[in-house]
Amino acid sequence: MVVIDHYLGHGQSAIGHEGYRVVDHARATAGFLRKELADQTLTMMGHSLGAMVALSRPSVP
């Protein structure tokens, strides 16, 4: 199981120039997943912001 910090610029997340919209969080999540779990089948789920990121993930390159 992997738990992702969805607070860009807080905790251990780098301060980036991406922004703080749901799509920005989805892009950051996609980048992490490609880097760390590239060859694995994933099931994403979340609550509140995490759910919005999971739902928007298929549309994010």
Side-chain angles (χ1 to χ4, degrees):
M1 179 189 320
V2 175
V3 179
I4 297 174
D5 172 10
H6 281 296
Y7 293 100
L8 296 174
H10 296 279
Q12 295 183 18
S13 298
I15 296 174
H17 301 286
E18 298 89 6
Y20 300 99
R21 300 169 299 166
V22 171
V23 70
D24 300 321
H25 287 279
R27 284 188 183 119
T29 300
F32 170 82
L33 294 174
R34 273 193 295 277
K35 179 180 174 188
E36 301 296 328
L37 306 170
D39 297 330
Q40 298 184 33
T41 300
L42 304 174
T43 300
M44 293 180 68
M45 60 185 196
H47 172 72
S48 193
L49 176 60
M52 289 187 285
V53 169
L55 289 170
S56 66
R57 174 61 191 101
S59 64
V60 173

